[in-house]
Amino acid sequence: QVQLVESGGGSVQAGGSLRLSCAASGYTDSGYCMAWFRQAPGKEREAVGLIDSDGAVKHADSVKGRFTISQDNAKNTLYLQMNSLKPEDTAMYYCAAEFRVVRDFPYCLSVYIRQAFGYWGQGIQVTVSS
């Protein structure tokens, strides 16, 4: 079965950097939509970034210019490079995925906006101190 396993979280001071990884396994379709979400205590889950199997990306306005989503298809791994971290970036971060044969970024965008991914990781904590 499909598994998504996040790693790379931790604690960092404001202005610092972290790189999250999400290792995916158990899927067979060549096309995918993968994304990062985050949820802070007492807040709703929010989208952070989206990437499809062709490398098309979208980042949330709140992280543009600071966070970069990327993938390594050879390693079946999704990344989130987080720079210039702020205390308000403190949250549990989740990776999510949807797999399909047809590669279609508008479809991925629809899934991303609706947060309707079929597979989710267990989440990893990122804490940024001031």
Side-chain angles (χ1 to χ4, degrees):
Q1 76 248 23
V2 174
Q3 282 193 314
L4 302 175
V5 180
E6 298 103 335
S7 61
S11 298
V12 65
Q13 289 195 324
S17 298
L18 283 174
R19 189 177 79 157
L20 303 184
S21 300
C22 173
S25 61
Y27 64 95
T28 57
D29 291 330
S30 59
Y32 60 78
C33 317
M34 296 191 78
W36 288 99
F37 291 83
R38 66 185 181 185
Q39 187 167 23
K43 294 189 176 181
E44 291 188 353
R45 186 171 61 196
E46 65 169 337
V48 175
L50 167 71
I51 190 166
D52 77 353
S53 43
D54 289 329
V57 300
K58 177 176 177 62
H59 295 91
D61 288 344
S62 59
V63 305
K64 270 182 187 175
R66 299 188 300 121
F67 291 11
T68 302
I69 190 170
S70 64
Q71 85 267 34
D72 184 333
N73 288 326
K75 296 182 179 179
N76 297 331
T77 301
L78 174 72
Y79 300 103
L80 184 67
Q81 178 65 45
M82 304 185 293
N83 299 327
S84 302
L85 282 159
K86 304 175 181 179
E88 51 263 44
D89 294 319
T90 295
M92 188 74 79
Y93 283 71
Y94 298 88
C95 69
E98 188 71 18
F99 301 98
R100 67 202 308 256
V101 174
V102 176
R103 302 180 180 198
D104 184 346
F105 189 72
Y107 168 80
C108 287
L109 197 55
S110 171
V111 173
Y112 176 72
I113 291 169
R114 294 180 292 117
Q115 301 192 16
F117 290 86
Y119 302 97
W120 293 81
Q122 80 284 358
I124 194 159
Q125 181 67 38
V126 170
T127 302
V128 185
S129 57
S130 57

